[in-house]
Amino acid sequence: MGTSYRNTTLLLNSSLPNITARPWSVYADCEGRFGGVMFYLIAQSINVVLGLPANMMALWLLLTSTSDSSVSDIFILNLSFLDAFFCLMAPLDLSNILFLNNQSILHVQLFVYGIKDCSPLFLSSICLDRYMAVMHPIAFLKFKGRKQRIALSAAMWGITLAYAIAKAIGGIENLEKIFNVTILASFSFMVFCNTSILWALRRSGPGKDELHPMKKKAFKMVLLILTVTVFNYLPPVALFPFQAYFSTTMFKCYVSLMSFACMDLSSSIQPLFYLLKDRILHLSVSKVCC
């Protein structure tokens, strides 16, 4: 992925001798080019003001609600916990960027970024559950137990923590390529699952020219999920593989920061979507397809 603020190679820059008297700064190379920085700061501010309370509310509902619960809620619970942790650490990120300029805090920030980088794993699990419920309902019912989902969640947390620790330590070869491959595979899988669900819901029954109202509601919900997924994850998927075509400054100060800002906004959008619409989607898909 190259040299960017959220890249471990930034630690190499912090270890260079202090040639001038100017204090160390995270964005020392972006002076006069603060458009991408401002966009990133706005996204993190939204996560603090909106994302954190939304995720906390989603966690509370998931942990206390017993009605209309689903085994898919296990993945949503883990994703909400991950996003809540990321939003909780956002004030530290903002403080270090704007005021502290502490190189030691950068390791903590990189660990938090590593946690967030793996959020598509849990999103893919949610999409897989919905895909199986719609496209293969019989197989879905056979493997509907909580134990399988808990085991899968534990495995994904193991991968997430290992990746985050490696990112915080730095100096690990090809770690950025792992992220690029992971986000590309996760994005492609999520688009495939949601597109397949849309295709299945769009088909009308014999002699029907219009969708059943319940199918129509589920169709709109899945379409909205697909739109949000594309908004959050298409920028890094589409731009990072073409880093060589951008100058180092352009990529670090604009492309990388704005792409990660879009991805980070998912920490606010996803819990809000769950609170407002996701339970309706679960009920609609269950009634129509299962």
Side-chain angles (χ1 to χ4, degrees), residues 221-243:
M221 292 301 100
V222 177
L223 183 61
L224 184 56
I225 291 173
L226 180 60
T227 302
V228 170
T229 301
V230 170
F231 170 78
N232 288 142
Y233 296 102
L234 182 60
V237 167
L239 296 176
F240 285 168
F242 301 99
Q243 180 201 339

Side-chain angles (χ1 to χ4, degrees), residues 6 27 34-53 55 83 86-91 93-94 97-98 113 116 231-232 254 256-269 271-272:
R6 289 176 64 144
Y27 295 115
F34 287 114
V37 178
M38 290 302 299
F39 189 79
Y40 180 81
L41 292 177
I42 291 172
Q44 285 293 66
S45 300
I46 292 174
N47 283 333
V48 174
V49 175
L50 193 61
L52 182 58
N55 278 291
D83 284 333
F86 179 75
C87 293
L88 186 63
M89 299 300 291
D93 187 23
L94 293 172
I97 293 172
L98 296 174
Y113 295 149
K116 180 58 182 174
F231 170 78
N232 288 142
Y254 289 99
S256 177
L257 282 174
M258 297 181 76
S259 296
F260 277 120
C262 291
M263 181 176 168
D264 292 348
L265 280 173
S266 64
S267 294
S268 295
I269 296 175
L272 287 175

Side-chain angles (χ1 to χ4, degrees), residues 6 12 15 20 35 58 65 83 115 119 125 127 131 152 154-155 157 159 176 178 203 227 237 242 263 269-270 281 283:
R6 289 176 64 144
L12 299 177
S15 63
T20 66
S65 178
D83 284 333
I115 293 290
S119 62
S125 300
C127 290
Y131 173 82
L152 180 58
W157 272 113
I159 296 172
E176 294 77 30
I178 293 176
R203 289 181 302 173
T227 302
V237 167
F242 301 99
M263 181 176 168
I269 296 175
Q270 288 160 5
L281 173 62
L283 291 175

